[in-house]
Amino acid sequence: MTAARPRRRRRWVGAVALVAVAVVTAFALGMRLGEGDAAQPSALVGRPAPDLRGTTLDGAPFDLADWRGQVVLVNIWGSWCGPCREELPLLARAYATLQERGLHVVGIDVRDDAPLARTFLQEHGNASWPSVADPDGERAVDWGTFALPETYLVGPDGRVVAKAIGAVDARWIDQTVVPLLARGTP
Amino acid sequence: MTVLRVTRRRAATGVVVLGVLAFAVLGLIRAAAPADTPSMRQRVDEVAATLRCPTCQGLSIEDSTSVLAAGSRRIIEQQLEQGRTPDEIRQWFVDRYGSSVLLSPDPAGPGLVAWVVPGLVLVAGGLLVWRWLGRDAAPSVAPDRTAAALAAWRAGALDPDDSPAGEALREALTAADADGDAAALARVASAHRRYTARPATAGQRGSVPTRRGPVLPRRMVTLGAAGAVLVAAAAGVALGSSDRSTGTGPPPAAAAVPSPPASVPAPSPPPGWSGGMPQTPQNWVQLGRAYDAAHQPDQAVAAYDMALRLQPGADAVLLMRADVLVRSGHADQALPDLEQLDARHPDTADVLLVLGLAQRAGGDPDAGATLRRFLELDPGSAAAPGVRHLLDGG
């Protein structure tokens, strides 16, 4: 009886320790999972936007730094990407409406054929903004792209304000982009 | 005498365990040692293997052939050339993709749990097994319990149930009752151990109260564990050597290849092909050549695409693919690749030949200059007479 009691107590201590380890592990893993797509779409949000320099599909030089002080949408796309096709008309309409309020748009055209890409832009909404060619996908990786299309909102201070994964919709434009234009500063 | 035998056995076991440990440690050291003067491609591979491919979670950048994996490899290569360390490059990716881009969890922060828990579980498990095996170690326990079980059986107090372990125990007890030699008693001991260790049933009756012993003999557990370590060590050594043997070939230009992003359907081999379905880039290239020779350019291009998916950066394959496209009247599809090949390998006769032919097919006025450059570089080429004929207005 006296020997059984400490043993039983030891068993209890073991069980409690096991449960504690399980809870801590689950919590830590939950935190890690929480860092994923839904809660924090990009590690770049809140940080200075990566450089974006290169040649556009029309052969002109481009440097994102020249647009410092403006609100910029950086859209990562490719003419071979189905959802990009669906997204382009809406993006073109938003640009047409918000251009006067200071919205700038630049594309990063990933692993594409320049003539095909130009035709694609004309056929799907006649997008008139520049697109920097990214033949190897390096610029897309520099921006932390997971899959095409993705769109980054860069504030006037040059920091990434938000990121949309997949095709942007009117709601995202209204709720995320428009307020930034109205305020002028983030 | 018995003590001497036990001591000898222990010494032998100790030597075996030490040998296995030494072998395992040597294997680990060998596997962990850096390869002799790794090429840039190997260095890129090493970093790429530790990073998750952005577009296909679960695969490393090294293993993936997705759209952005090639870009990631280029970035790793550029940063290595700039003298950045693998850790700095990994941090560059973490800054953009978050810590989930690391295939091995970061030992700082919550990732520490993933590193520590397996070790703790291993140690705790080892201690449990050690204690469990140690319970029956006292040699005086077994004869006592065997005698007690036999006495209980004779007195009718022990009535094994109908489980297989119970049947076995009953048989062993009957045999020992009739002929009480040492072997019969040993059988009773082992059968009783299994009987008391069997899963508890509602109608368990008449077992002699005793502490549970191990289900598996200790020697079997020890030998099993040593065997497992030995196999793991051998596998480590074998893998380490194979890594080195495959990594010493000439490094191909580690450049991203603009292969089609959409998945390419795998072609089936042509009639007369006896090599089975290819598994390696080299086999796909062979298959592509076979298709080319069989005048099936579409299938040849598809086979080269499969080779390029398995080995992005194989510029020689890219050139063969472009060559097939040009000869089959699809020079426009080959031109972007050829221009990039020309940029990466300037003044290379083969590239200039195919590029010149592609430009000529597309009506590009540069075609003449490109083909003349080819002739200057390789005037003795088998293709030279044909090219001269073309340039002379043929």
Side-chain angles (χ1 to χ4, degrees):
Chain A
M1 196 63 191
T2 43
R5 206 171 277 167
R7 201 183 303 153
R8 204 174 293 164
R9 199 179 299 154
R10 236 184 295 152
R11 223 175 269 170
W12 266 103
V13 170
V16 168
L18 197 69
V19 169
V21 167
V23 168
V24 168
T25 311
F27 181 72
L29 290 178
M31 291 271 290
R32 276 184 71 80
L33 292 176
E35 284 169 9
D37 296 351
Q40 180 69 291
S42 170
L44 280 177
V45 171
R47 305 175 65 157
D51 290 339
L52 179 55
R53 265 190 298 269
T55 309
T56 66
L57 291 175
D58 300 323
F62 178 87
D63 190 348
L64 183 63
D66 295 341
W67 285 354
R68 192 66 184 264
Q70 312 284 341
V71 176
V72 183
L73 280 180
V74 180
N75 177 240
I76 297 169
W77 67 283
S79 67
W80 45 268
C81 138
C84 302
R85 197 173 301 250
E86 293 161 21
E87 172 189 60
L88 198 52
L90 181 122
L91 211 52
R93 280 202 303 278
Y95 180 59
T97 315
L98 301 173
Q99 191 180 8
E100 286 180 359
R101 290 172 67 182
L103 179 68
H104 287 60
V105 180
V106 59
I108 297 179
D109 179 24
V110 181
R111 299 192 73 168
D112 216 343
D113 177 65
L116 279 181
R118 280 194 292 268
T119 312
F120 176 86
L121 287 178
Q122 278 165 8
E123 284 177 358
H124 297 88
N126 199 18
S128 54
W129 56 81
S131 266
V132 179
D134 186 16
D136 298 317
E138 289 165 54
R139 292 191 173 87
V141 173
D142 197 10
W143 281 75
T145 302
F146 286 98
L148 272 55
E150 284 184 2
T151 304
Y152 294 80
L153 177 62
V154 180
D157 62 349
R159 286 179 181 274
V160 176
V161 177
K163 172 183 178 180
I165 295 177
V168 296
D169 53 18
R171 199 169 149 211
W172 188 78
I173 300 275
D174 285 345
Q175 295 185 351
T176 315
V177 182
V178 172
L180 204 63
L181 291 169
R183 274 208 309 274
T185 49
Chain B
M1 192 63 191
T2 319
V3 174
L4 193 64
R5 205 184 304 148
V6 168
T7 315
R8 262 196 212 144
R9 203 192 300 155
R10 276 198 189 150
T13 312
V15 167
V16 168
V17 168
L18 277 179
V20 167
L21 276 178
F23 189 51
V25 167
L26 275 176
L28 280 175
I29 290 171
R30 218 192 126 108
D36 306 331
T37 57
S39 67
M40 175 54 84
R41 186 187 162 87
Q42 283 170 300
R43 290 170 65 204
V44 171
D45 285 347
E46 275 169 24
V47 179
T50 61
L51 293 166
R52 199 186 299 275
C53 155
T55 47
C56 34
Q57 304 240 337
L59 276 182
S60 74
I61 289 173
E62 187 195 6
D63 295 331
S64 170
T65 53
S66 88
V67 186
L68 295 179
S72 304
R73 289 184 61 88
R74 284 278 294 229
I75 286 170
I76 294 169
E77 188 184 352
Q78 285 165 6
Q79 299 201 1
L80 283 171
E81 280 167 357
Q82 288 162 11
R84 302 186 88 186
T85 64
D87 278 341
E88 285 170 342
I89 297 170
R90 278 189 278 271
Q91 187 56 47
W92 187 93
F93 278 89
V94 168
D95 288 344
R96 280 148 185 84
Y97 287 100
S99 56
S100 59
V101 78
L102 298 173
L103 277 174
S104 320
D106 185 1
L112 184 64
V113 176
W115 285 104
V116 168
V117 164
L120 284 180
V121 166
L122 201 67
V123 169
L127 283 175
L128 273 176
V129 170
W130 184 265
R131 276 198 59 184
W132 181 47
L133 291 171
R135 280 185 171 191
D136 243 17
S140 61
V141 173
D144 282 358
R145 206 173 46 190
T146 310
L150 197 56
W153 160 257
R154 283 175 181 145
L158 174 60
D159 180 17
D161 60 21
D162 294 335
S163 66
E167 296 279 349
L169 177 60
R170 191 176 293 122
E171 277 174 27
L173 285 166
T174 314
D177 200 17
D179 176 19
D181 68 354
L185 287 175
R187 271 199 298 279
V188 170
S190 118
H192 188 261
R193 211 159 42 217
R194 276 196 295 277
Y195 181 66
T196 49
R198 78 198 187 288
T201 55
Q204 197 170 321
R205 299 155 292 167
S207 63
V208 176
T210 166
R211 288 192 295 167
R212 276 183 63 178
V215 180
L216 288 172
R218 181 157 43 150
R219 204 179 303 164
M220 202 189 287
V221 173
T222 310
L223 285 178
V229 172
L230 202 64
V231 168
V237 171
L239 281 176
S241 348
S242 75
D243 276 357
R244 272 158 197 72
S245 62
T246 54
T248 48
V257 174
S259 55
S263 64
V264 185
S268 46
W273 172 263
S274 57
M277 281 310 283
Q279 300 299 328
T280 64
Q282 291 76 16
N283 289 352
W284 281 113
V285 170
Q286 274 184 4
L287 181 55
R289 282 187 173 143
Y291 271 127
D292 193 10
H295 302 292
Q296 295 186 43
D298 292 352
Q299 295 291 322
V301 168
Y304 289 143
D305 280 336
M306 292 302 289
L308 287 166
R309 283 175 74 194
L310 293 170
Q311 193 183 2
D315 283 358
V317 182
L318 195 60
L319 182 61
M320 284 191 267
R321 180 183 181 275
D323 182 37
V324 173
L325 282 171
V326 173
R327 281 189 281 110
S328 61
H330 298 101
D332 54 327
Q333 290 175 30
L335 260 176
D337 288 353
L338 284 167
E339 279 161 3
Q340 291 198 19
L341 282 172
D342 186 36
R344 286 202 288 272
H345 308 278
D347 290 329
T348 305
D350 289 346
V351 175
L352 289 171
L353 172 64
V354 185
L355 175 64
L357 292 175
Q359 286 171 333
R360 191 172 181 278
D364 188 331
D366 290 343
T370 311
L371 289 173
R372 270 190 287 277
R373 244 165 79 214
F374 157 72
L375 285 178
E376 280 166 25
L377 287 166
D378 194 1
S381 157
V387 171
R388 285 196 194 97
H389 180 67
L390 282 177
L391 288 174
D392 291 340

